[in-house]
Amino acid sequence: MSVLYQNEHSGCFNYDRSEKPQIEVERVVKGDTGILSLKENEIVFITEGRIRFVSNGLSNCDGLKGQMLFLPAGRNYSFEALADSAITIFRFYESIRLCDNFDLENLNKEKAAASSYQPGSERLRILNINIILWNYLDGLNDLIEEGMRCRSFFQIKIKELLLLLHSFYTKEELQDFFSPILSDDMFFFRICKAPLERLPYNN
């Protein structure tokens, strides 16, 4: 079933015609390569296949079906599809808040109290997709592939994703996953980190 009244939707100012919508479903074939220069944080869900991500200063990372990867803004990444693959990309154009009452500042403040939390090496952060998120992605991907491009819809689904992360993953897991953008001074960090990382000697 496709979206009804497509002309009405596409004529709305909330219809996302951009090359990089907030949520995007992509398919790549084995051997495809590309370069990503990120100006915003992204979470990439690999729903089929295997993709290798490479970025200067980070260990190479092979993302597998059933995993999500956090790609921090301000870096250049190259990728190669090691198998026919499908991904769902979430782009965060605003600050990440796990819910209205719990943002990343809260997550960072609780880091010291989480005894099992250990900062990892310089690497891309990965979490396994649990059954709750698989069910969420199945419905979302179907809707996007049927033509949903509404920015309001994307904002609702991004908020839902963050609520599910907050509700069904431990704080230790989330601390590690988001650790590249956690800081004791989050306001200063948000202003300064991305522009500094885009300087030529950091690419």
Side-chain angles (χ1 to χ4, degrees):
M1 176 184 292
S2 297
V3 171
L4 301 177
Y5 314 111
Q6 186 61 50
N7 290 339
E8 180 179 324
H9 292 290
S10 62
C12 176
F13 68 90
N14 272 324
Y15 189 82
D16 196 333
R17 298 177 182 82
S18 66
E19 294 182 359
K20 292 185 176 183
Q22 285 182 287
I23 306 175
E24 184 176 12
V25 176
E26 286 284 349
R27 296 184 179 274
V28 292
V29 299
K30 182 178 180 180
D32 278 357
T33 60
I35 302 292
L36 305 173
S37 297
L38 299 191
K39 296 181 180 179
E40 59 283 320
N41 297 311
E42 292 187 0
I43 296 178
V44 177
F45 290 83
I46 300 179
T47 54
E48 294 179 22
R50 178 174 182 167
I51 301 177
R52 174 168 295 161
F53 292 88
V54 178
S55 182
N56 285 346
L58 299 178
S59 302
N60 292 356
C61 176
D62 288 1
L64 309 175
K65 176 182 177 179
Q67 294 180 331
M68 53 178 149
L69 292 80
F70 182 63
L71 305 184
R75 278 188 172 274
N76 293 329
Y77 303 86
S78 61
F79 71 87
E80 178 184 2
L82 303 179
D84 292 350
S85 303
I87 59 175
T88 305
I89 305 167
F90 289 76
R91 299 183 173 97
F92 295 88
Y93 295 115
E94 300 177 355
S95 299
I96 296 174
R97 298 179 63 89
L98 296 174
C99 75
D100 290 341
N101 294 314
F102 198 91
D103 55 23
L104 292 189
E105 284 87 345
N106 298 114
L107 190 64
N108 190 60
K109 289 174 183 176
E110 295 196 10
K111 182 171 63 177
S115 58
S116 63
Y117 172 77
Q118 294 292 332
S121 59
E122 290 301 314
R123 57 179 172 78
L124 288 178
R125 269 32 187 203
I126 296 176
L127 279 177
N128 291 324
I129 303 172
N130 63 26
I131 187 62
I132 299 293
L133 284 190
W134 271 120
N135 291 336
Y136 163 83
L137 288 168
D138 285 343
L140 172 64
N141 290 349
D142 286 346
L143 290 170
I144 291 176
E145 290 179 341
E146 293 298 339
M148 286 292 289
R149 299 274 297 192
C150 176
R151 291 190 180 95
S152 296
F153 170 75
F154 290 157
Q155 290 167 5
I156 291 169
K157 299 307 289 186
I158 285 175
K159 187 171 184 178
E160 181 181 357
L161 168 65
L162 294 172
L163 283 168
L164 293 177
L165 289 174
H166 187 205
S167 300
F168 295 100
Y169 288 85
T170 68
K171 289 178 182 176
E172 291 86 353
E173 289 173 319
L174 296 177
Q175 284 161 353
D176 185 72
F177 190 64
F178 290 114
S179 61
I181 59 170
L182 294 182
S183 169
D184 291 335
D185 189 343
M186 297 292 292
F187 178 76
F188 179 81
F189 184 86
R190 283 195 297 266
I191 292 175
C192 296
K193 182 174 176 60
L196 286 173
E197 287 194 342
R198 285 196 292 270
L199 290 173
Y201 54 78
N202 278 321
N203 292 335

